[in-house]
Amino acid sequence: QVQVVESGGGLVQAGGSLRLSCTASGLNFDDYAMGWFRQAPGKEREVVSCISWHSRSTHYADSVKGRFTISRDNAKNTLYLQMTSLKPEDTAMYYCAAVKLPGGGYYLKPQDYTYWGQGTQVTVSS
């Protein structure tokens, strides 16, 4: 049984930092591309950042480039999202997702991902 669990969300002031973590179990983490997505109230779920299984390829939404960094530790089955210079518009539920892509690469659309966590709330106050 595959489980994906996010942690690290919280309330932070604008300009602050948070580090999200996502641990996946029940799958061969090395075979999976991973992604961070977010969804604000009344808005569609959007991609934040993605990473290939070997970390050679990454993607960032324009809105977070230069502020967020995605990384993974395959030995720990864990994905990370370091978020700095946070803005109120970053407020959302953040989700971790996995899709099997052993050849490398990643997908950008939420519907292309197979496994999802329950999400962790990030709230940035102004």
Side-chain angles (χ1 to χ4, degrees):
Q1 182 179 356
V2 176
Q3 283 193 314
V4 178
V5 180
E6 304 95 337
S7 62
L11 174 63
V12 64
Q13 287 188 333
S17 299
L18 281 174
R19 188 196 198 199
L20 305 184
S21 298
C22 167
T23 301
S25 59
L27 51 74
N28 185 5
F29 195 69
D30 289 6
D31 284 342
Y32 283 75
M34 302 295 294
W36 285 103
F37 295 81
R38 66 187 181 186
Q39 188 167 16
K43 295 188 176 181
E44 291 188 353
R45 192 168 296 191
E46 63 177 5
V47 64
V48 175
S49 184
C50 306
I51 188 167
S52 60
W53 74 264
H54 44 44
S55 302
R56 292 176 198 157
S57 301
T58 58
H59 168 83
Y60 295 93
D62 288 343
S63 59
V64 307
K65 277 181 183 176
R67 300 188 298 122
F68 291 10
T69 303
I70 193 170
S71 62
R72 62 190 294 164
D73 185 338
N74 288 353
K76 296 181 178 179
N77 282 23
T78 302
L79 174 73
Y80 303 99
L81 186 68
Q82 179 68 50
M83 305 186 294
T84 63
S85 301
L86 282 161
K87 304 175 181 181
E89 50 264 44
D90 294 318
T91 295
M93 185 72 79
Y94 282 71
Y95 298 91
C96 170
V99 60
K100 191 170 184 178
L101 283 174
Y106 48 76
Y107 294 138
L108 298 181
K109 297 179 180 178
Q111 56 264 40
D112 291 325
Y113 282 75
T114 309
Y115 301 110
W116 289 84
Q118 293 299 307
T120 186
Q121 178 68 38
V122 172
T123 303
V124 184
S125 63
S126 57

